[in-house]
Amino acid sequence: MDQTALFKMSYGLYVVSAEADGQRAGCVINTATQVTALPPRLMVAVHKDNVTTGVIQRAGAFTVTAIDMTADMPYIGNFGFRTSANFDKFEKYGCEISAVGSPYSPEHVCALFACKVVDTVDVGTHLLFIGDVVDAQRLSDEEPLTYSYYHSTLKGKTPPKASSYQA
Ligand SMILES: Cc1cc2nc3c(=O)[nH]c(=O)nc-3n(C[C@H](O)[C@H](O)[C@H](O)COP(=O)(O)O)c2cc1C
């Protein structure tokens, strides 16, 4: 089997976030996708060791923002290479609150989806959270950043907790 064939799968890049019991968390993911239209439903895959995962579980809700082409590596690093355990990721890029009570940063993102969790599936290292979209907004006219552009032009790396990581 040639596992590098998996590099041919296409994705966007997103920040998924939540708040519970006063704790805010969020992280970069490439694994967000719309799974149904009626009702509009999204799925996110989040590593069990990510702080964001436990906060989504406790909140019963999450918010996804679609990262746009204005994002740079410091922005990706803020959300994707640090942990929310001892750091407020929403301080540097502004913090607003979505319809389901999640914090989100309105900078460098072109769309927002506020979701209530309707199902959780354990897939091993990651949990899949399936959420009904209760609010959706266009936040800018910029094009969404693709995972391919992140690798080819921003020269970004994929850390071990990403679903698509290969050692
Ligand atoms: C490009 C990129 C893609 C990522 N994709 C995912 C993903 O799909 N799922 C996931 O759980 N983590 C993914 N991560 C890793 C998390 O963003 C990272 O582990 C983060 O530090 C977790 O933060 P937290 O502990 O505050 O939740 C990705 C990171 C980057 C930079």
Side-chain angles (χ1 to χ4, degrees):
M1 180 165 90
D2 181 357
Q3 287 212 45
T4 66
L6 291 162
F7 294 150
K8 298 291 184 188
M9 296 194 76
S10 301
Y11 307 95
L13 272 188
Y14 307 87
V15 175
V16 61
S17 59
E19 174 165 349
D21 311 317
Q23 184 180 18
R24 294 171 168 182
C27 67
V28 171
I29 57 169
N30 61 286
T31 47
T33 192
Q34 181 177 0
V35 289
T36 61
L38 293 173
R41 217 162 243 187
L42 297 191
M43 176 226 80
V44 294
V46 200
H47 198 284
K48 289 176 182 174
D49 291 344
N50 285 352
V51 171
T52 306
T53 307
V55 179
I56 295 173
Q57 281 183 304
R58 284 189 281 129
F62 61 86
T63 294
V64 172
T65 48
I67 298 175
D68 71 29
M69 292 294 283
T70 67
D72 53 14
M73 284 310 293
Y75 179 85
I76 304 283
N78 184 76
F79 289 100
F81 287 97
R82 300 195 64 161
T83 172
S84 308
N86 49 13
F87 173 66
D88 181 2
K89 297 188 180 185
F90 301 94
E91 201 180 331
K92 186 167 177 193
Y93 296 99
C95 184
E96 296 187 11
I97 304 298
S98 76
V100 295
S102 322
Y104 71 93
S105 290
E107 280 187 50
H108 304 305
V109 292
C110 57
L112 166 152
F113 310 98
C115 303
K116 284 199 173 145
V117 174
V118 293
D119 209 350
T120 303
V121 182
D122 188 330
V123 289
T125 53
H126 288 63
L127 293 182
L128 304 187
F129 292 111
I130 298 157
D132 275 350
V133 180
V134 298
D135 186 37
Q137 293 178 31
R138 298 176 80 115
L139 299 179
S140 83
D141 292 328
E142 300 291 339
E143 287 295 310
L145 186 74
T146 66
Y147 202 34
S148 167
Y149 181 88
Y150 170 75
H151 285 125
S152 65
T153 305
L154 295 182
K155 306 291 181 201
K157 300 268 186 284
T158 298
K161 286 174 192 163
S163 311
S164 54
Y165 174 73
Q166 289 196 25

Tab-separated table of all heavy atoms in Angstrom, residues 103-153:
chain	number	residue	atom	x	y	z
A	103	PRO	N	-16.263	30.824	21.315
A	103	PRO	CA	-15.434	31.957	20.909
A	103	PRO	C	-14.930	31.716	19.483
A	103	PRO	O	-14.730	30.567	19.084
A	103	PRO	CB	-14.266	31.897	21.891
A	103	PRO	CG	-14.155	30.452	22.246
A	103	PRO	CD	-15.551	29.885	22.187
A	104	TYR	N	-14.768	32.783	18.717
A	104	TYR	CA	-14.093	32.648	17.413
A	104	TYR	C	-13.413	33.955	17.091
A	104	TYR	O	-13.820	35.023	17.553
A	104	TYR	CB	-15.068	32.237	16.294
A	104	TYR	CG	-16.046	33.325	15.885
A	104	TYR	CD1	-15.767	34.192	14.842
A	104	TYR	CD2	-17.260	33.483	16.567
A	104	TYR	CE1	-16.661	35.189	14.468
A	104	TYR	CE2	-18.157	34.474	16.208
A	104	TYR	CZ	-17.851	35.334	15.146
A	104	TYR	OH	-18.743	36.326	14.790
A	105	SER	N	-12.339	33.857	16.311
A	105	SER	CA	-11.618	35.055	15.870
A	105	SER	C	-12.088	35.396	14.458
A	105	SER	O	-12.034	34.539	13.569
A	105	SER	CB	-10.104	34.815	15.884
A	105	SER	OG	-9.668	34.730	17.226
A	106	PRO	N	-12.536	36.632	14.242
A	106	PRO	CA	-13.084	37.004	12.932
A	106	PRO	C	-12.021	37.342	11.891
A	106	PRO	O	-12.352	37.523	10.719
A	106	PRO	CB	-13.931	38.245	13.258
A	106	PRO	CG	-13.297	38.838	14.469
A	106	PRO	CD	-12.693	37.699	15.242
A	107	GLU	N	-10.735	37.383	12.284
A	107	GLU	CA	-9.668	37.712	11.322
A	107	GLU	C	-9.248	36.488	10.525
A	107	GLU	O	-9.178	35.380	11.072
A	107	GLU	CB	-8.436	38.251	12.067
A	107	GLU	CG	-8.571	39.719	12.450
A	107	GLU	CD	-7.269	40.250	13.030
A	107	GLU	OE1	-6.202	40.061	12.421
A	107	GLU	OE2	-7.339	40.835	14.120
A	108	HIS	N	-8.928	36.707	9.245
A	108	HIS	CA	-8.401	35.659	8.354
A	108	HIS	C	-9.365	34.487	8.143
A	108	HIS	O	-8.921	33.361	7.891
A	108	HIS	CB	-7.059	35.120	8.872
A	108	HIS	CG	-6.029	36.181	9.063
A	108	HIS	ND1	-5.657	37.053	8.052
A	108	HIS	CD2	-5.293	36.533	10.147
A	108	HIS	CE1	-4.730	37.879	8.509
A	108	HIS	NE2	-4.499	37.592	9.774
A	109	VAL	N	-10.663	34.749	8.285
A	109	VAL	CA	-11.647	33.684	8.014
A	109	VAL	C	-12.752	34.248	7.126
A	109	VAL	O	-13.096	35.429	7.213
A	109	VAL	CB	-12.237	33.082	9.312
A	109	VAL	CG1	-11.170	32.313	10.069
A	109	VAL	CG2	-12.883	34.130	10.194
A	110	CYS	N	-13.296	33.401	6.255
A	110	CYS	CA	-14.312	33.884	5.307
A	110	CYS	C	-15.711	33.363	5.598
A	110	CYS	O	-16.678	33.844	4.993
A	110	CYS	CB	-13.893	33.567	3.872
A	110	CYS	SG	-13.589	31.822	3.561
A	111	ALA	N	-15.853	32.403	6.496
A	111	ALA	CA	-17.189	31.887	6.813
A	111	ALA	C	-17.195	31.276	8.202
A	111	ALA	O	-16.140	30.896	8.731
A	111	ALA	CB	-17.600	30.824	5.790
A	112	LEU	N	-18.390	31.207	8.755
A	112	LEU	CA	-18.565	30.673	10.119
A	112	LEU	C	-19.769	29.727	10.138
A	112	LEU	O	-20.781	30.000	9.494
A	112	LEU	CB	-18.813	31.846	11.062
A	112	LEU	CG	-19.355	31.593	12.474
A	112	LEU	CD1	-18.887	32.702	13.390
A	112	LEU	CD2	-20.875	31.516	12.514
A	113	PHE	N	-19.644	28.638	10.882
A	113	PHE	CA	-20.739	27.683	11.058
A	113	PHE	C	-20.849	27.361	12.543
A	113	PHE	O	-19.919	26.797	13.120
A	113	PHE	CB	-20.462	26.394	10.271
A	113	PHE	CG	-20.071	26.674	8.843
A	113	PHE	CD1	-18.723	26.693	8.480
A	113	PHE	CD2	-21.031	26.970	7.897
A	113	PHE	CE1	-18.347	26.986	7.181
A	113	PHE	CE2	-20.658	27.277	6.590
A	113	PHE	CZ	-19.313	27.277	6.233
A	114	ALA	N	-21.962	27.738	13.139
A	114	ALA	CA	-22.193	27.442	14.557
A	114	ALA	C	-23.044	26.182	14.629
A	114	ALA	O	-24.118	26.118	14.007
A	114	ALA	CB	-22.905	28.612	15.222
A	115	CYS	N	-22.573	25.180	15.368
A	115	CYS	CA	-23.196	23.842	15.316
A	115	CYS	C	-23.507	23.298	16.705
A	115	CYS	O	-22.717	23.480	17.636
A	115	CYS	CB	-22.242	22.854	14.645
A	115	CYS	SG	-21.733	23.347	12.991
A	116	LYS	N	-24.641	22.597	16.788
A	116	LYS	CA	-24.970	21.844	18.000
A	116	LYS	C	-24.653	20.383	17.741
A	116	LYS	O	-25.069	19.817	16.717
A	116	LYS	CB	-26.453	21.998	18.319
A	116	LYS	CG	-26.753	23.357	18.929
A	116	LYS	CD	-28.078	23.372	19.663
A	116	LYS	CE	-28.198	24.712	20.381
A	116	LYS	NZ	-29.566	25.212	20.415
A	117	VAL	N	-23.944	19.743	18.663
A	117	VAL	CA	-23.547	18.338	18.472
A	117	VAL	C	-24.799	17.444	18.523
A	117	VAL	O	-25.579	17.512	19.469
A	117	VAL	CB	-22.545	17.898	19.566
A	117	VAL	CG1	-22.243	16.410	19.460
A	117	VAL	CG2	-21.255	18.720	19.479
A	118	VAL	N	-24.968	16.618	17.471
A	118	VAL	CA	-26.094	15.661	17.461
A	118	VAL	C	-25.596	14.222	17.563
A	118	VAL	O	-26.370	13.324	17.866
A	118	VAL	CB	-26.990	15.831	16.210
A	118	VAL	CG1	-27.714	17.169	16.252
A	118	VAL	CG2	-26.199	15.682	14.924
A	119	ASP	N	-24.322	14.014	17.302
A	119	ASP	CA	-23.774	12.658	17.422
A	119	ASP	C	-22.259	12.739	17.569
A	119	ASP	O	-21.626	13.683	17.074
A	119	ASP	CB	-24.117	11.823	16.181
A	119	ASP	CG	-24.239	10.337	16.501
A	119	ASP	OD1	-23.877	9.932	17.625
A	119	ASP	OD2	-24.696	9.597	15.617
A	120	THR	N	-21.687	11.756	18.254
A	120	THR	CA	-20.235	11.668	18.410
A	120	THR	C	-19.825	10.235	18.090
A	120	THR	O	-20.433	9.292	18.598
A	120	THR	CB	-19.820	12.016	19.857
A	120	THR	OG1	-20.309	13.318	20.181
A	120	THR	CG2	-18.311	12.024	20.018
A	121	VAL	N	-18.839	10.083	17.243
A	121	VAL	CA	-18.381	8.752	16.840
A	121	VAL	C	-16.900	8.621	17.205
A	121	VAL	O	-16.080	9.475	16.834
A	121	VAL	CB	-18.560	8.538	15.317
A	121	VAL	CG1	-18.134	7.126	14.917
A	121	VAL	CG2	-19.998	8.801	14.892
A	122	ASP	N	-16.578	7.545	17.923
A	122	ASP	CA	-15.191	7.281	18.300
A	122	ASP	C	-14.523	6.512	17.167
A	122	ASP	O	-14.931	5.393	16.848
A	122	ASP	CB	-15.184	6.452	19.598
A	122	ASP	CG	-13.781	6.283	20.168
A	122	ASP	OD1	-12.821	6.263	19.381
A	122	ASP	OD2	-13.659	6.156	21.398
A	123	VAL	N	-13.506	7.134	16.531
A	123	VAL	CA	-12.836	6.455	15.414
A	123	VAL	C	-11.398	6.073	15.769
A	123	VAL	O	-10.566	5.884	14.895
A	123	VAL	CB	-12.883	7.313	14.121
A	123	VAL	CG1	-14.283	7.355	13.553
A	123	VAL	CG2	-12.331	8.721	14.340
A	124	GLY	N	-11.116	5.962	17.076
A	124	GLY	CA	-9.770	5.564	17.503
A	124	GLY	C	-9.024	6.740	18.098
A	124	GLY	O	-9.306	7.170	19.217
A	125	THR	N	-8.062	7.282	17.362
A	125	THR	CA	-7.309	8.425	17.884
A	125	THR	C	-8.162	9.691	17.947
A	125	THR	O	-7.881	10.601	18.728
A	125	THR	CB	-6.102	8.733	16.975
A	125	THR	OG1	-6.568	8.879	15.615
A	125	THR	CG2	-5.061	7.633	17.033
A	126	HIS	N	-9.183	9.765	17.113
A	126	HIS	CA	-9.993	10.982	16.983
A	126	HIS	C	-11.461	10.720	17.328
A	126	HIS	O	-11.932	9.585	17.254
A	126	HIS	CB	-9.925	11.522	15.548
A	126	HIS	CG	-8.600	12.139	15.191
A	126	HIS	ND1	-7.420	11.429	15.163
A	126	HIS	CD2	-8.274	13.415	14.842
A	126	HIS	CE1	-6.421	12.235	14.824
A	126	HIS	NE2	-6.911	13.446	14.613
A	127	LEU	N	-12.175	11.780	17.684
A	127	LEU	CA	-13.635	11.747	17.779
A	127	LEU	C	-14.202	12.507	16.595
A	127	LEU	O	-13.663	13.570	16.225
A	127	LEU	CB	-14.120	12.408	19.076
A	127	LEU	CG	-13.779	11.718	20.395
A	127	LEU	CD1	-14.394	12.513	21.556
A	127	LEU	CD2	-14.280	10.279	20.437
A	128	LEU	N	-15.257	11.967	16.001
A	128	LEU	CA	-16.008	12.720	14.996
A	128	LEU	C	-17.193	13.361	15.702
A	128	LEU	O	-17.996	12.656	16.321
A	128	LEU	CB	-16.564	11.806	13.897
A	128	LEU	CG	-15.626	10.918	13.111
A	128	LEU	CD1	-16.408	10.241	11.974
A	128	LEU	CD2	-14.474	11.717	12.553
A	129	PHE	N	-17.266	14.666	15.622
A	129	PHE	CA	-18.444	15.366	16.132
A	129	PHE	C	-19.304	15.745	14.935
A	129	PHE	O	-18.820	16.413	14.008
A	129	PHE	CB	-18.047	16.641	16.889
A	129	PHE	CG	-17.315	16.378	18.171
A	129	PHE	CD1	-15.964	16.693	18.291
A	129	PHE	CD2	-17.967	15.836	19.270
A	129	PHE	CE1	-15.278	16.458	19.471
A	129	PHE	CE2	-17.284	15.595	20.460
A	129	PHE	CZ	-15.936	15.908	20.561
A	130	ILE	N	-20.557	15.307	14.967
A	130	ILE	CA	-21.490	15.657	13.902
A	130	ILE	C	-22.419	16.722	14.482
A	130	ILE	O	-22.956	16.538	15.593
A	130	ILE	CB	-22.264	14.412	13.434
A	130	ILE	CG1	-21.243	13.421	12.862
A	130	ILE	CG2	-23.324	14.772	12.391
A	130	ILE	CD1	-21.679	12.015	12.855
A	131	GLY	N	-22.553	17.828	13.757
A	131	GLY	CA	-23.310	18.947	14.316
A	131	GLY	C	-24.323	19.526	13.351
A	131	GLY	O	-24.057	19.634	12.150
A	132	ASP	N	-25.505	19.863	13.870
A	132	ASP	CA	-26.490	20.617	13.091
A	132	ASP	C	-26.039	22.069	13.025
A	132	ASP	O	-25.720	22.669	14.066
A	132	ASP	CB	-27.859	20.568	13.780
A	132	ASP	CG	-28.625	19.323	13.402
A	132	ASP	OD1	-28.182	18.604	12.484
A	132	ASP	OD2	-29.673	19.072	14.033
A	133	VAL	N	-26.035	22.637	11.829
A	133	VAL	CA	-25.650	24.044	11.672
A	133	VAL	C	-26.842	24.910	12.075
A	133	VAL	O	-27.896	24.861	11.431
A	133	VAL	CB	-25.243	24.349	10.211
A	133	VAL	CG1	-24.855	25.819	10.072
A	133	VAL	CG2	-24.090	23.451	9.777
A	134	VAL	N	-26.685	25.659	13.153
A	134	VAL	CA	-27.788	26.521	13.602
A	134	VAL	C	-27.570	27.968	13.194
A	134	VAL	O	-28.483	28.782	13.254
A	134	VAL	CB	-28.020	26.409	15.131
A	134	VAL	CG1	-28.407	24.994	15.512
A	134	VAL	CG2	-26.806	26.865	15.921
A	135	ASP	N	-26.362	28.298	12.773
A	135	ASP	CA	-26.108	29.634	12.210
A	135	ASP	C	-24.937	29.517	11.242
A	135	ASP	O	-23.984	28.783	11.505
A	135	ASP	CB	-25.768	30.655	13.312
A	135	ASP	CG	-25.650	32.075	12.756
A	135	ASP	OD1	-26.431	32.421	11.841
A	135	ASP	OD2	-24.770	32.832	13.215
A	136	ALA	N	-25.044	30.207	10.120
A	136	ALA	CA	-23.946	30.254	9.137
A	136	ALA	C	-23.826	31.696	8.653
A	136	ALA	O	-24.841	32.374	8.478
A	136	ALA	CB	-24.241	29.321	7.970
A	137	GLN	N	-22.581	32.143	8.494
A	137	GLN	CA	-22.357	33.527	8.060
A	137	GLN	C	-21.176	33.586	7.117
A	137	GLN	O	-20.201	32.845	7.292
A	137	GLN	CB	-22.034	34.429	9.265
A	137	GLN	CG	-23.173	34.614	10.225
A	137	GLN	CD	-22.769	35.474	11.417
A	137	GLN	OE1	-21.917	36.354	11.308
A	137	GLN	NE2	-23.362	35.194	12.548
A	138	ARG	N	-21.257	34.494	6.125
A	138	ARG	CA	-20.094	34.815	5.301
A	138	ARG	C	-19.390	35.970	5.995
A	138	ARG	O	-20.018	36.985	6.286
A	138	ARG	CB	-20.546	35.238	3.911
A	138	ARG	CG	-21.291	34.143	3.164
A	138	ARG	CD	-21.797	34.651	1.835
A	138	ARG	NE	-20.734	34.637	0.867
A	138	ARG	CZ	-20.718	33.864	-0.231
A	138	ARG	NH1	-21.734	33.073	-0.497
A	138	ARG	NH2	-19.711	33.909	-1.070
A	139	LEU	N	-18.116	35.834	6.280
A	139	LEU	CA	-17.401	36.862	7.043
A	139	LEU	C	-16.476	37.718	6.185
A	139	LEU	O	-16.042	38.773	6.618
A	139	LEU	CB	-16.602	36.214	8.185
A	139	LEU	CG	-17.436	35.448	9.226
A	139	LEU	CD1	-16.533	34.833	10.276
A	139	LEU	CD2	-18.460	36.358	9.878
A	140	SER	N	-16.117	37.241	4.991
A	140	SER	CA	-15.307	38.059	4.088
A	140	SER	C	-15.519	37.549	2.672
A	140	SER	O	-16.101	36.483	2.465
A	140	SER	CB	-13.816	37.993	4.453
A	140	SER	OG	-13.218	36.838	3.878
A	141	ASP	N	-15.050	38.322	1.693
A	141	ASP	CA	-15.168	37.908	0.284
A	141	ASP	C	-13.909	37.167	-0.182
A	141	ASP	O	-13.777	36.839	-1.352
A	141	ASP	CB	-15.396	39.126	-0.618
A	141	ASP	CG	-16.770	39.739	-0.369
A	141	ASP	OD1	-17.701	38.974	-0.029
A	141	ASP	OD2	-16.902	40.968	-0.492
A	142	GLU	N	-12.976	36.917	0.736
A	142	GLU	CA	-11.744	36.203	0.371
A	142	GLU	C	-12.060	34.741	0.042
A	142	GLU	O	-13.030	34.175	0.550
A	142	GLU	CB	-10.745	36.239	1.535
A	142	GLU	CG	-10.313	37.630	1.966
A	142	GLU	CD	-9.446	38.327	0.941
A	142	GLU	OE1	-8.845	37.650	0.084
A	142	GLU	OE2	-9.379	39.573	0.999
A	143	GLU	N	-11.198	34.140	-0.764
A	143	GLU	CA	-11.326	32.711	-1.067
A	143	GLU	C	-10.832	31.882	0.124
A	143	GLU	O	-9.902	32.297	0.828
A	143	GLU	CB	-10.459	32.338	-2.277
A	143	GLU	CG	-11.003	32.840	-3.597
A	143	GLU	CD	-12.335	32.200	-3.952
A	143	GLU	OE1	-12.424	30.962	-3.898
A	143	GLU	OE2	-13.283	32.947	-4.234
A	144	PRO	N	-11.430	30.713	0.368
A	144	PRO	CA	-10.913	29.851	1.445
A	144	PRO	C	-9.529	29.299	1.104
A	144	PRO	O	-9.218	29.031	-0.049
A	144	PRO	CB	-11.940	28.719	1.532
A	144	PRO	CG	-12.696	28.765	0.254
A	144	PRO	CD	-12.611	30.155	-0.298
A	145	LEU	N	-8.714	29.163	2.150
A	145	LEU	CA	-7.375	28.576	1.995
A	145	LEU	C	-7.509	27.060	1.800
A	145	LEU	O	-8.297	26.429	2.495
A	145	LEU	CB	-6.586	28.853	3.282
A	145	LEU	CG	-5.120	28.468	3.350
A	145	LEU	CD1	-4.277	29.419	2.521
A	145	LEU	CD2	-4.630	28.510	4.794
A	146	THR	N	-6.765	26.509	0.880
A	146	THR	CA	-6.792	25.049	0.731
A	146	THR	C	-5.581	24.429	1.434
A	146	THR	O	-4.539	25.064	1.609
A	146	THR	CB	-6.765	24.630	-0.751
A	146	THR	OG1	-5.510	25.016	-1.299
A	146	THR	CG2	-7.907	25.259	-1.527
A	147	TYR	N	-5.740	23.168	1.789
A	147	TYR	CA	-4.665	22.427	2.452
A	147	TYR	C	-3.471	22.316	1.496
A	147	TYR	O	-2.314	22.375	1.907
A	147	TYR	CB	-5.210	21.051	2.808
A	147	TYR	CG	-4.488	20.322	3.907
A	147	TYR	CD1	-3.914	20.991	4.975
A	147	TYR	CD2	-4.436	18.931	3.900
A	147	TYR	CE1	-3.283	20.295	5.985
A	147	TYR	CE2	-3.815	18.234	4.920
A	147	TYR	CZ	-3.236	18.917	5.953
A	147	TYR	OH	-2.620	18.233	6.950
A	148	SER	N	-3.767	22.187	0.219
A	148	SER	CA	-2.721	22.085	-0.796
A	148	SER	C	-1.883	23.378	-0.858
A	148	SER	O	-0.650	23.338	-0.882
A	148	SER	CB	-3.396	21.798	-2.135
A	148	SER	OG	-2.516	21.984	-3.172
A	149	TYR	N	-2.560	24.539	-0.835
A	149	TYR	CA	-1.865	25.829	-0.845
A	149	TYR	C	-1.024	25.981	0.431
A	149	TYR	O	0.106	26.493	0.398
A	149	TYR	CB	-2.898	26.955	-0.945
A	149	TYR	CG	-2.316	28.351	-0.987
A	149	TYR	CD1	-1.943	28.955	-2.193
A	149	TYR	CD2	-2.145	29.085	0.189
A	149	TYR	CE1	-1.414	30.234	-2.227
A	149	TYR	CE2	-1.612	30.368	0.165
A	149	TYR	CZ	-1.250	30.937	-1.042
A	149	TYR	OH	-0.725	32.210	-1.067
A	150	TYR	N	-1.580	25.526	1.556
A	150	TYR	CA	-0.861	25.579	2.837
A	150	TYR	C	0.475	24.842	2.726
A	150	TYR	O	1.510	25.332	3.193
A	150	TYR	CB	-1.741	24.954	3.924
A	150	TYR	CG	-1.056	24.724	5.247
A	150	TYR	CD1	-0.780	25.780	6.115
A	150	TYR	CD2	-0.683	23.435	5.662
A	150	TYR	CE1	-0.157	25.563	7.336
A	150	TYR	CE2	-0.074	23.210	6.879
A	150	TYR	CZ	0.191	24.280	7.715
A	150	TYR	OH	0.808	24.065	8.921
A	151	HIS	N	0.470	23.689	2.074
A	151	HIS	CA	1.709	22.928	1.936
A	151	HIS	C	2.621	23.508	0.862
A	151	HIS	O	3.815	23.703	1.088
A	151	HIS	CB	1.395	21.459	1.597
A	151	HIS	CG	0.907	20.685	2.768
A	151	HIS	ND1	-0.287	19.997	2.766
A	151	HIS	CD2	1.424	20.503	4.004
A	151	HIS	CE1	-0.464	19.421	3.949
A	151	HIS	NE2	0.559	19.714	4.708
A	152	SER	N	2.065	23.822	-0.314
A	152	SER	CA	2.912	24.186	-1.454
A	152	SER	C	3.453	25.607	-1.364
A	152	SER	O	4.605	25.850	-1.717
A	152	SER	CB	2.134	24.016	-2.763
A	152	SER	OG	1.063	24.935	-2.788
A	153	THR	N	2.642	26.556	-0.878
A	153	THR	CA	3.068	27.963	-0.895
A	153	THR	C	3.470	28.468	0.489
A	153	THR	O	4.502	29.113	0.643
A	153	THR	CB	1.946	28.844	-1.484
A	153	THR	OG1	1.613	28.314	-2.768
A	153	THR	CG2	2.381	30.300	-1.623
